[in-house]
């Protein structure tokens, strides 16, 4: 499925059918090889993405957050849902899973240009660091609303 940033929440809600996604955003894993993205599409797909996929696999093993080289995060009333994605093509892939909101203590987004640093902290003390774009601040804000309420 193709979805631009502004269309993500509605498109993902249709795909889930049993939960409403209130905010969604593309995110990606940043690695030492990430600058290869800027070389060309081939640099992205042959160098940066495989390195990010390997880092994502390790992060998933450590935190139980289902990750891929690039993902879409979507917040519902009860969970943070994760889909595989290709932000370069505005493409959303398969639903990788979800994390109950009670297992997450915070989603912090720093200021930035097109991609902003994001840290998802878990109740067990572990965390993951990624980069988010578009409405990643809305994802964090909606998470905060649900944690406070």
């Amino acid at each position: 499925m193709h979805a631009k940033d502004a269309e993500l929440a509605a498109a993902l809600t249709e795909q889930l059918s049993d939960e409403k996604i209130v905010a969604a955003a593309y995110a990606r894993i940043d690695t030492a090889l990430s600058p290869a993205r800027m070389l060309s599409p081939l640099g992205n797909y042959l160098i940066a993405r495989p390195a990010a996929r390997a880092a994502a696999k390790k992060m998933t093993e450590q935190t139980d957050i289902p990750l891929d080289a690039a993902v879409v995060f979507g917040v519902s009333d009860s969970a943070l849902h994760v889909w595989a994605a290709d932000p370069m093509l505005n493409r959303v892939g398969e639903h990788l899973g979800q994390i109950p909101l009670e297992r997450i203590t915070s989603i912090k987004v720093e200021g930035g240009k097109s991609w902003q640093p994001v840290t998802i902290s878990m109740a067990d003390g572990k965390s993951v660091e990624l980069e988010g774009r578009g409405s990643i601040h809305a994802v964090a804000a909606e998470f905060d609303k649900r944690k406070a309420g």
Side-chain angles (χ1 to χ4, degrees):
M1 155 179 70
H2 290 276
K4 294 184 179 176
D5 295 82
E7 306 164 339
L8 276 173
L12 297 174
T13 295
E14 282 181 27
Q15 189 182 55
L16 282 182
S17 73
D18 61 337
E19 286 193 75
K20 180 177 186 200
I21 300 297
V22 293
Y26 287 100
R28 66 185 183 193
I29 307 293
D30 190 34
T31 70
L33 297 176
S34 293
R37 280 188 204 105
M38 294 180 273
L39 297 175
S40 70
L42 284 177
N44 181 44
Y45 291 109
L46 296 178
I47 300 169
R49 199 162 176 91
R53 185 164 280 127
K57 182 178 180 189
K58 187 174 180 182
M59 291 170 149
T60 297
E61 289 169 358
Q62 294 171 346
T63 65
D64 292 329
I65 298 173
L67 295 171
D68 196 6
V71 295
V72 169
F73 289 121
V75 175
S76 72
D77 284 338
S78 63
L80 179 68
H81 292 267
V82 185
W83 286 264
D86 186 341
M88 198 173 188
L89 300 175
N90 291 320
R91 189 181 66 75
V92 180
E94 71 178 291
H95 187 255
L96 299 175
Q98 62 187 14
I99 305 100
L101 294 184
E102 61 265 7
R103 288 196 52 218
I104 303 171
T105 56
S106 69
I107 299 176
K108 300 290 181 202
V109 182
E110 296 177 32
K113 293 189 178 185
S114 61
W115 289 91
Q116 298 92 41
V118 178
T119 303
I120 300 174
S121 300
M122 305 298 288
D124 62 6
K126 296 177 181 172
S127 65
V128 295
E129 294 182 4
L130 309 103
E131 295 179 321
R133 79 168 195 210
S135 54
I136 195 67
H137 290 278
V139 168
E142 290 294 340
F143 168 80
D144 289 343
K145 280 184 199 175
R146 275 140 188 85
K147 279 305 253 196

